[in-house]
Amino acid sequence: MQKSVRYNEGHALYLAMLARKEGTKRGFLSKKAAEASRWHEKWFALYQNVLFYFEGEQSGRPAGMYLLEGCSCERTPAPPRTNAGPAGARDALDKQYYFTVLFGHDGQKPLELRCEEEQAGKEWMEAIHQASYADILIEREVLMQKYIHLVQIVETEKIATNQLRHQLEDQDTEIERLKSEIVALNKTKERMRPYHTHQEEEDPDIKKIKKVQSFMRGWLCRRKWKTIVQDYICSPHAESMRKRNQIVFTMVEAETEYVHQLYILVNGFLRPLRMAASSKKPPIKHEDVSSIFLNSETIMFLHEIFHQGLKARLANWPTLVLADLFDILLPMLNIYQEFVRNHQYSLQVLANCKQNRDFDKLLKQYEANPVCEGRMLETFLTYPMFQIPRYIITLHELLAHTPHEHVERKSLEFAKSKLEELSRVMHDEVSDTENIRKNLAIERMIVEGCDILLDTSQTFIRQGSLIQVPSVERGKLSKVRLGSLSLKKEGERQCFLFTKHFLICTRSSGGKLHLLKTGGVLSLIQCTLIEEPDASDDDPKGSGHMFRDLDFKIVVEPPDAASFTVVLLAPSRQEKAAWMSDISQCVDNIRCNGLMTIVFEENSKVTVPHMIKSDARLHKDDTDICFSKTLNSCKVPQIRYASVERLLERLTDLRFLSIDFLNTFLHTYRIFTTATVVLAKLSDIYKRPFTSIPVRSLELFFATSQNNREHLVDGKSPRLCRKFSSPPPLAVSRTSSPVRARKLSLTSSLNSRIGALDLTNSSSSSSSTTTTHSPAASPPPHTAVLESAPGDKAGDSADLSPCRSPTTPRHLRYRQPGGQVADNTHCSVSPASAFAIATAAAGHGSPPGFNNERTCDKEFIIRRTATNRVLNVLRHWVSKHAQDFELNNELKMNVVNLLEEVLRDPDLLPQERKATANILRALSQDDQDDIHLKIEDIIQMTDCPKAECFETLSAMELAEQITLLDHIVFRSIPYEEFLGQGWMKVDKNERTPYIMKTSQHFNEMSNLVASQIMNYADISSRANAIEKWVAVADICRCLHNYNGVLEITSALNRSAIYRLKKTWAKVSKQTKALMDKLQKTISSEGRFKNLRETLKNCNPPAVPYLGMYLTDLAFIEEGTPNFTEEGLVNFSKMRMISHIIREIRQFQQTAYRIDQQPKVIQYLLDKALVIDEDTLYELSLKIEPRLPA
């Protein structure tokens, strides 16, 4: 008799209770009873691999359970039904879901179940399948098969090993037999040798001859070997191997430094913050720590292993094999992709955490650790971003010095290709990193903080010092206040321009920035720009004479407060033009983007503009263009590679113009095209817009007007009201004569400030057929009408009088419903915005005969939009790239001819006419500001009878004049010299004369410092001179002249001065400590990392070290080609070059306010005081001779 199976009933009840509470799947199912046709409804609960069923949902004790391991579950068809019973009951039973659990062994009946809904049945089947551990069993079978296969391999290898062992033993026996035969043969040979041979060997003459012959053979062999070795040492192959080894040594040093940085990041920040997050009052959450330091610890472990492998390879020098190390490293580098993708979010999380005072205090404590060397956490988080490009450059250099037949050649090429592929993927995700770091640096400098800088869509444009005129009536300002230093001191502001906002700050004595309480953060969507304010009645001479035409005005109209005006003064006309161009471009982009989003989006789509979806040329790769995943300031994918034709097409696309694309194009266009081609394209767009613009772009202007008809006419759209806090832009109707007043009507509700536009024609001959159409609904209670002022005529627009920006036409007046006319300089907009509203309103029904007029209006709008785009590009080109026209008179004349042709256009709008006149005036200006002074001009002005000597000059005077000279030399470099690495070519003096002049000036100033110190014979005077020059260097640092700091410190580090131990012993400890601080700031370690951080946190004016930027440009030029294999322009490279040039030009355009002192300048430029390097070292040896060995 078979015994029953015992089980632990208490444990089973406990599992049943867990199944009721935490079961994977729970619910009612019908279980088929032993009878063939009876079903019982039970409450089932599945827990792990045990299925319990209860009599009801509230039952505490299970009625039974099934062990599901190894079972299978499959659906079964519904059983056939008899005709008995109502038809509805049969249909309900047929719709039920039947499935069966098969237990896979004999003696166990299958479990048949059913449920009411098919979805519930599928969920039960999936849960039972997972509980059966079928996947694990299959995996176990697979592993078992692999194990059996491996066991068979091992047995086969054992048999082969035994066979080989037997063969070796047989070979050993054969070798011993052959040895014995050789010994026997040698003995036989000795016995057969004649006796007289011993006598010949003993002959001394023969021995001498043999000795001489042996010596000669050895000497000849050694000489031949020496010649071979010397020839190889001088051969190109040996030189290539030496350079290759040097690259490897440099790579090991860089990897050591990188591992050290990762060690500081993990042990100095990550692990302490983890501990702080586990404290009783955590200043940060564990989730935030994980978000900030994603994969940091894994990256450190990976590179520690790679670094150990590199050091192990150095033990095999001079044969350095690295390919296998990269083969191990490459599969692991995908973790960088996650780090890069998370980097932007990590900086946001870090910025949010810094709002907590406790965390900010704790973080500053960690950053104050001497190991961090003054670097912030953001800096350490950025280091991994540059590691993959560094590997690519290293492999590129290694391959350049690796022969094609080298054993590692193919492996290194494969590693380089894989890294470049990974870098391309990462490039799309790191393009915003520099901009985010800049925004965070500015946000930390502002004491009150600034939340808008935490928005990742904010792109930094420019910064600088401007003077704010007090907000009182300008005509009543006293001339004493305007002309004295009080206005400069009290009104000086640090201004920062971003794509969406304009910040105005004051600087405290400690260097911290404070936002103005009123008007500190200006939203550009609420701003109207006036380039040259008009003269008031109280001020007949105009403010232009008082401010020397350096002022401009920003009118701000906040939706929830009264409007106000900010008047700013620029240091020079060149800076004013640069500020005006950037602000105007940002305002145009914001307004045009807002209108485009409203006009082209469908009502149900609120995220991606419909025009980008519709036009595949804006986002889809093609044979002549390739896009990245990063969006530009217009929310359009950035271009990675493109043909010249597609780049010119993007430049003249009427729908949008990204300011970053425009800057990049104008900085680098001469690499892939010429100015003549660019100007010809602009001329074609103006003259033939319908043939020069792609048909698809023109179609999309009017593609969705029908879909958005009610959306725009309704006048109640919250999105439209949100986009424009100022009155919405207006469209202009075409007239038959330019002299007639163009009437612009805007029907809108005052509370919503939204309206639908009606195009009217003022021609009396066509008034019968071009009546104004209004919606069927009753019109709003108020109507605003804009029309030309009576005094403004077409002829007045072409003069060169001061005028407003094209975005703020002066000829418009706002007329109230009662008939009163009020000045409203803010209700205007560019034609690009006008055509958007016009096309949106053009979809309404119109009387017969209106279609031709509407088509005419569209053509007029396209022409006006094309004109506006051409003027916009030309204004940016002329104001920010004036050097192109100064060096190319033919280009200048062609632009003048084009602008004069624009002025002759009878349909030109007044604001376009004034913009054209402004550009012409900027081109024809002959008066130069003092900013254009050159070294040659200063030398001619410093013809003093007698120069000052070093002892009579103060450190402040020397530092100020050195800074003035350095900045004059630095700002004279035209930006085209930074293209193509001309400073490294053979004809560098002809290709980059100003860069070479900057290098020459650096060497001359450094020689002057060293010569002045060596001119003193006694030790005390030399020590005093060193202390004075160090003080000059420190003042230069305070003036942000880091080039001057490097000039002086490099002179003090020359061997002729550095070796003077007795002189340095007399130098004070404070001076030595200051010297160490200065050297740490301008150290070249880590690609000038300290100097870069300092420059990011300082405001212009400043003089950076030019060699740092030249190194960056060389790094970019050598690492990536200008064109792809398909002949496309590498626009990603152009964007990186443009970023560096923009940073250089930012420091070039802001001048120092330092007065010239001719006597000091004459001393600094006196070449008679300079001693050459060899003479300096001879004097040094004479002053302090070498100690005997």
Side-chain angles (χ1 to χ4, degrees), residues 1013-1019 1022 1056-1057 1059-1063 1175-1186:
I1013 295 173
M1014 297 302 297
N1015 276 334
Y1016 294 103
D1018 58 309
I1019 295 177
R1022 285 196 301 275
I1057 296 177
R1059 62 176 297 276
L1060 301 177
K1061 296 183 180 180
K1062 295 180 181 179
T1063 303
T1175 308
L1176 278 175
Y1177 198 76
E1178 291 176 1
L1179 281 174
S1180 177
L1181 292 176
K1182 186 177 179 180
I1183 292 172
E1184 291 189 18
R1186 288 195 183 99

Side-chain angles (χ1 to χ4, degrees), residues 387-596:
Q387 194 61 19
I388 301 299
R390 184 181 298 169
Y391 284 149
I392 294 174
I393 296 300
T394 302
L395 288 175
H396 181 78
E397 294 175 349
L398 275 176
L399 287 170
H401 300 292
T402 301
H404 289 279
E405 66 277 2
H406 197 277
V407 67
E408 282 194 302
R409 180 80 188 186
K410 292 184 178 180
S411 298
L412 292 178
E413 288 177 347
F414 175 76
K416 179 173 174 287
S417 65
K418 287 296 183 182
L419 286 173
E420 287 177 344
E421 182 181 349
L422 179 62
S423 178
R424 279 193 293 271
V425 175
M426 293 169 56
H427 174 75
D428 298 334
E429 302 173 9
V430 303
S431 56
D432 295 335
T433 301
E434 289 297 326
N435 177 67
I436 294 171
R437 293 184 62 200
K438 181 68 177 179
N439 292 2
L440 290 175
I442 296 174
E443 197 272 340
R444 294 194 70 174
M445 288 164 47
I446 299 175
V447 175
E448 300 86 359
C450 189
D451 293 338
I452 66 165
L453 298 183
L454 304 180
D455 182 7
T456 56
S457 62
Q458 288 281 3
T459 303
F460 173 77
I461 304 297
R462 67 181 292 112
Q463 70 181 71
S465 297
L466 298 173
I467 296 177
Q468 183 178 3
V469 180
S471 57
V472 296
E473 295 184 14
R474 294 174 44 168
K476 297 181 180 180
L477 286 173
S478 64
K479 294 184 179 179
V480 177
R481 181 177 179 81
L482 292 174
S484 64
L485 289 174
S486 61
L487 179 60
K488 293 183 179 180
K489 292 182 179 179
E490 297 176 6
E492 185 171 4
R493 304 286 185 261
Q494 284 297 324
C495 299
F496 302 89
L497 176 62
F498 298 86
T499 50
K500 297 181 181 178
H501 289 82
F502 185 75
L503 305 186
I504 304 177
C505 306
T506 59
R507 185 180 292 278
S508 62
S509 58
K512 290 289 185 178
L513 297 177
H514 297 270
L515 284 171
L516 295 182
K517 295 182 179 179
T518 304
V521 180
L522 305 181
S523 177
L524 294 180
I525 191 63
Q526 303 168 1
C527 296
T528 303
L529 181 64
I530 300 179
E531 296 190 13
E532 298 185 4
D534 299 324
S536 62
D537 298 335
D538 299 334
D539 186 14
K541 294 184 179 180
S543 61
H545 297 283
M546 185 178 300
F547 297 116
R548 294 179 298 172
D549 294 328
L550 300 178
D551 57 330
F552 59 93
K553 183 164 68 174
I554 300 176
V555 180
V556 187
E557 293 179 303
D560 53 353
S563 62
F564 59 93
T565 302
V566 179
V567 182
L568 299 171
L569 297 179
S572 64
R573 290 179 182 175
Q574 183 181 4
E575 272 208 65
K576 176 188 173 183
W579 276 104
M580 295 305 307
S581 178
D582 287 339
I583 295 175
S584 177
Q585 184 66 45
C586 291
V587 172
D588 284 350
N589 278 342
I590 293 175
R591 291 183 174 178
C592 188
N593 288 346
L595 276 174
M596 290 299 177

